Each structure stands twice: as structure tokens, then as C-alpha cells.
Amino acid sequence: MGRRIRTGMKPMARRPRHGLPDAAARGEAGASAVEFAIAAPALLLALLGSFQAALLYQARAQLEVATQEAVRAGTLHGARVEAMRDALARGLTPLYTHGQNLSALAQGYATAKVAAGQATIRVLSPTREAFDDFAEQIRDTSGAWIRAIPVDHLGYRQTNVGSGSHLSVQDATLLKVQITAVQPLIVPFIDQIGRGIYQMDKGLGNVGLPSLFGVRLSPMTGVDGKTRWGIPMQAEAVMRMQSPVLAEGLPSKASLGQGQNTDPGNDEGEDFNEVIPIYDENPDQPGSPADTPPPGACTGGSPFDN
């Protein structure tokens, strides 16, 4: 009588009330989709921004190399800005060359030429005051007399400080240049954000909206004539002059203080780079006009006396 009889039937599972577990699962899935939709644009922006930052780092490194080449060209050509600009284009060519054939190289050089043409080249030293302190009448490579800062025998020249530049002639022959070039934003979506920020800021009268990567954007024109937006980058280099320093392109100390690089010109109307014509009809005859230096020229003896 006390035995339990097994019938082989399993007890029935209790059915959920009103389907609550299924509704909770669907709610969690919907919440995950919403969270992904919110986080995906931010993650995509961070990923594309990382790509653009890597490209900017590469461009910054190449600008350093190109600046070295530009300043080197300036030391060989009397600190002329145009010579430095041509060398800057050659230094930037690897940045814009995407291929290993001559056609890609030519296209890269053309693009670099346009970028270098829009770059800002500021000669920080020597200044026009240094030129006024130490310029002499010397012969150029063609034998003509010009007015320039000499670069020969600097170790034996006097170290007196100039009254206008407050530099010695040794320091006045150090060429220091600052180059600012704009690197365009080329990563998709990042360039659109940059364009929108720039246009909005321009439409509001340059009120200074939040910039991209902490830097205000600048426009630049590509080789195709289209305007792009990019980030300005700066690089500096210092080298010893290997040729006499000419007055062309040298800024004044006042213009450097104002952040300008305009040629202040000569208030006295004198052209410092004007070649003095000296015709030598009989170079073998002593005392011919070609052997007679103009006033103020360095004429033998001790070239180190100022």
C-alpha cells in the first residue's frame, strides 16, 4: 500500500506567463543594435582619423628633409628665396610620387612644384640690418663687383658685433629659414569634415571655430586647380652660407617681429645687388679699369680688417 507507482510520464513544464523571457531577449537585442549604431560612427571617425594622422606624420618628416635641401640651396645661391623654393619642390617630390616609373615621378614633381609655390619661406637670419653692418664690395663668380656679406676666412675675421643687427659677421653668415607648407586632408570623410569646418568658419567671419587636430585649417590649390583644405606644418633649418649673402629677400628685424617676410626694400634707393659694370679692354695692362675696385671693396692685404 505504501509503494509509489511509476507511470513513466514526466511532469509538465510550466509555461511562461505572457511570454516575458522572449520579450526581454528581444529588448536586449534591440538595445545592442542601438548602441552599435551610436558607437559605429565614432569608431569609424577614430579609425579614419588615425590614418590621416599617420599621413600627416609622414608629410611632416618629408617636410623636414625638404627644408634641409631648400636651406642647402640657399647657402649656395646667396640666400635667394627662389633657389630655396626650387629645392623645396625637389625635396617634396617623394611625398607626391605614387609609382615607380618616370610618368609617376613627373606627376609627383609637378604636384610638389605647386605645393612648394604656395609654401611660405621666411628667412629668419641674416637680416637686412646684418647686411648693412657687414656688406662689402666683392667679386661674384663672373668677376663683376657686387655688394654682399663675405663668407671667406670667417675664422680670421674680427668678431665685433654690428650696431644694427647685434651679430658678428660669423653669426651673420648663418642662414636660418622657416618654411610653412599646407598638407591637404586626403582621407575620405576627414576631408569633408575639414571642408565643413573651414566653410562654416569663413561664413561666420573667421570667428575661430574648433579646428581639426587642434590646428586651424588652411586652403590650398592642387595641380588640378581644385581647392583643398589642409593643415599647415612648419620646419626650420640652419646652415652656414657657402656663397656671399645678397640683400635680395632678406627681411628686417621689424618685419620678423610682425610675422612678415616682405622685402622692406632700400630706403636710400640703392640697389645692393646691382652689378657695377667694369670693362677690361686690356687685362694685361696694370691699372686697367677691371683691376680697380670700387670704393669700399676688400683689396688684398689683410682681408680680415673691417
Side-chain angles (χ1 to χ4, degrees), residues 84-108:
M84 290 188 279
R85 198 175 298 278
D86 292 339
L88 179 64
R90 295 192 297 270
L92 291 176
T93 298
L95 184 63
Y96 299 101
T97 302
H98 308 289
Q100 300 181 357
N101 50 35
L102 292 179
S103 177
L105 180 61
Q107 184 177 0

Side-chain angles (χ1 to χ4, degrees), residues 52 56 96 182-187 191 218 220 228-231:
Q52 184 64 72
L56 291 175
Y96 299 101
V182 178
Q183 175 62 23
L185 303 175
I186 60 176
V187 175
D191 60 339
S218 298
M220 68 169 298
R228 292 175 173 83
W229 287 262
I231 294 180

Side-chain angles (χ1 to χ4, degrees), residues 127-142:
T127 60
R128 181 60 63 92
E129 289 78 7
F131 185 89
D132 295 337
D133 287 338
F134 303 108
E136 300 176 356
Q137 294 288 350
I138 61 176
R139 289 185 183 272
D140 63 1
T141 55
S142 64

